[in-house]
Amino acid sequence: MIIMNFVPLEYKLGFSDDIDYHQKVGTGLSEKIVRQISAYKNEPDWMLKFRLRALGYFKNKPVPKWGGDLSKIDYEAITYFLNPVSKKVNSWKELPSKIRDTYEKIGVPEAERDMLAGVEAQYDSSVIYGSIKKKLDEQGVIFTDTDSALRLYPDLFKEYFGTIIPPMDNKFAALNSAFWSGGSFIYIPKGTRVDLPLQAYFRINAKNMGQFERTLIIADEGSTVKYLEGCSAPVYTSDSLHAAVVEIVVKKNATVQYTTIQNWSGNVYNLVTKRSRVEENGTMSWVDCNIGSKLTMKYPSCYLMGKGARGETLSLAIAGKNQHQDVGAKMIHVGAHTSSTAISKSISRGGGRNSYRGLVEVQALAEKSKSKVKCDALILDATSRSDTYPTIKVNRSDTQMEHEATVSKVGADQLFYMQSRGLSQNDAEAMIVNGFAEPIIKTLPMEYALEMNRLIQLEMTGSVG
Amino acid sequence: MLKINHLFVSIEKKEIIKNFSLEINPKELHVLMGPNGSGKSTLGFTLMGHPDYLLNEKSKIVLDGVNITNLNPEERAKIGLFLAFQNPIAVPGVRVVNFLRMAYNQKFKKLNPDTKNSGELGPLEFYQLLLKNAQLLGIPEDFLSRNLNDQFSGGEKKKMEMLAAIILQPKYSILDEPDTGTDIDALKVIAKGVKILQKQGSGVILITHYQRLLKYLKPDEVHVLKEGRLVTSGNNNLIMEIEKEGYQSFN
């Protein structure tokens, strides 16, 4: 037998800056802190009430017993709000050099230089950097941080905020609703195409800091937009919590693609609620890549409301040592002739665990709907684990359903064969993993595809560069 | 010279090869024959450093003066040893061209490259090199973009092993039954591949059961392995003798 000898993963992006935080609310979870946050942000009264109501839901809801182990989170030890700079800046040069360095390490400036329409980079709780191309303004596109959107577009904001994912939806959506800060707000006017992808980077950078960003995208009738987020976080010894909420409204004939490359460090609980409402002939596409974190629970959902609405989820999860990726997709077919596809690929190594948890529900009025679910798992060693928990509820007889699942293992004979040609075990494994992940990676824009390949290489070899 | 000295090989405490010694010079062709289960493939795996096969302390393998007895497979490959597998392993998701380019660059990259020449080849340069050699062996171009040995026929796999050998230009090659499961056309291609390897300077240990490949080649020495022991060595005439009498007479 070949002895699996994984070099412990050194987290390349695991550096932390010694930032003098201008604004920091004390640790813990209380009404006082919620009021403090809301007052600091100078929010309207309805938002304070919304937050307080959500706090109540959070406190009353039990911790979910399914999915991953959530029992070790200490909510009282978390700082609920941090604000590293007091005002927004418009160019990289204006940023404090330490923050700039951090971004350079994760490649944001390059991302901007190259091809991206806008960078909305989040450093801890508030958006401190934003550069948005002039064209977006001309098109009437709104792309801003969610806090600013509440101030600048109060009516539009109130019309949609919390309508796709209400605070009582689940415990962590409630937590986010009570303490949310930052995130992106996007509105695409009717018939508008945004050709370049909009991008944002999120990053947790303070010990025990909870990051509760809140993203809301409204794609009005006939519009098209692609949004990308990439996440990376430094390593800390105690657990961090990331509980985001992403709400997307896809109106008639509109198309939204939301791509995530998530690379939290191994101490982060990543508990995210992502949901879209898709109206007639609209298309929602989630591309969700989860590398890293201690536990991720995330099931991007499409509520296919209108006739002919389409939903798609492509997901890639990599679980290494002490990691559990409990991810999947939910497709709720409400309207007639709706269709959905969920393709999931997972890679388990070094004792890591992947769970695919998915739901396809075809409701009574969803005549002649179609759904396809495909789960492929790759397991690299005997200590790692992969399982699937698909749930299918079909209330019609004219539904076309497909479900497919495969599990493959990297064999000692494959490794020996590749090593005998001069590849190291790590190179050989990275090559197999890259080949397995390729169908998902090739759907990413080139820059993200390159980053993804680099992250996989990093994960597999534990080396830098 | 590849020197194999007093090789004792065991797997799961069972001794498979007993006191096997052999010396082979660059460009020489040595044919290793023997009944099924005599330890021929074990010898190939052992020389390549398969971790399942254990050597006793007397065993020694020296390649051009370098003791490789305790090196891992990738180090042996980089020094210049090659094993063509009897049953090449399928690796879904890994393309032939990407795999061989990585193997090539691992082998030929220089430790201290000057700025102009790192020894490595970029994707396009390597593709040209690979294509040229594939054409030499009559391998269709579309094979280069297919997944490694995945859904290849027996003959296709064997040809691909020869292509890999030629690309990697080993100093010594062990070809484990490259003729098994091939048709007559593929057989000629394999023979051509062996000649190219010799021309490149490689010493070749060819493991085979049959005479049919040897019709096209001129072995320098022929060895018979039986129950893990080298029972006899000779020239081409030995092959005729085996063909007629089988292995019973050798002890």
Side-chain angles (χ1 to χ4, degrees), chain A residues 217-232:
Chain A
I217 298 176
I218 303 138
D220 216 329
E221 290 182 12
S223 69
T224 300
V225 66
K226 286 182 181 172
Y227 179 81
L228 304 161
E229 61 172 345
C231 305
S232 68

Side-chain angles (χ1 to χ4, degrees), chain A residues 1-2 412-414 416-425 427-428 431-436 438 442 457, chain B residues 45 48 50-52 73-74 77-78 82-83 85 89-95 98-99 102-103 106 149 161:
Chain A
M1 275 302 293
I2 286 181
D413 53 349
Q414 287 178 324
F416 175 68
Y417 181 76
M418 296 174 86
Q419 284 174 279
S420 79
R421 300 286 141 95
L423 275 66
S424 68
Q425 186 178 331
D427 285 341
M431 217 170 190
I432 292 171
V433 168
N434 268 317
F436 175 81
E438 194 197 357
K442 76 179 181 197
Q457 202 78 24
Chain B
F45 281 137
M48 205 63 235
H50 195 294
D52 287 359
E74 61 265 36
K78 283 182 208 165
F82 183 91
L83 172 66
F85 282 52
I89 310 294
V91 190
V94 173
R95 290 170 206 277
N98 295 342
F99 172 65
M102 190 173 232
Q106 288 295 334
N149 299 320
E161 293 292 277

Side-chain angles (χ1 to χ4, degrees), chain A residues 59 128 171 176 191 221 226 234 258 287 354 457:
Chain A
K59 287 189 165 168
I128 52 166
K171 190 170 178 76
N176 173 285
E221 290 182 12
K226 286 182 181 172
Y258 191 105
V287 181
N354 274 293
Q457 202 78 24

Side-chain angles (χ1 to χ4, degrees), chain A residues 346-447:
Chain A
S346 72
I347 297 149
S348 311
R349 53 167 284 257
R353 179 180 175 193
N354 274 293
S355 314
Y356 172 82
R357 196 178 299 278
L359 170 68
V360 175
E361 185 179 327
V362 179
Q363 297 191 354
L365 296 176
E367 63 172 297
K368 292 184 177 155
S369 292
K370 283 192 269 191
S371 180
K372 183 180 173 181
V373 177
K374 191 172 189 314
C375 307
D376 295 325
L378 180 68
I379 301 175
L380 266 68
D381 52 69
T383 60
S384 300
R385 174 175 170 188
S386 173
D387 25 41
T388 57
Y389 304 94
T391 304
I392 296 169
K393 295 180 190 165
V394 179
N395 292 308
R396 291 194 64 91
S397 55
D398 59 357
T399 304
Q400 196 182 318
M401 272 294 315
E402 277 179 67
H403 181 92
E404 225 182 285
T406 65
V407 179
S408 41
K409 290 183 180 174
V410 174
D413 53 349
Q414 287 178 324
L415 291 175
F416 175 68
Y417 181 76
M418 296 174 86
Q419 284 174 279
S420 79
R421 300 286 141 95
L423 275 66
S424 68
Q425 186 178 331
N426 281 332
D427 285 341
E429 284 174 342
M431 217 170 190
I432 292 171
V433 168
N434 268 317
F436 175 81
E438 194 197 357
I440 306 273
I441 291 175
K442 76 179 181 197
T443 68
L444 301 174
M446 178 142 80
E447 185 173 276

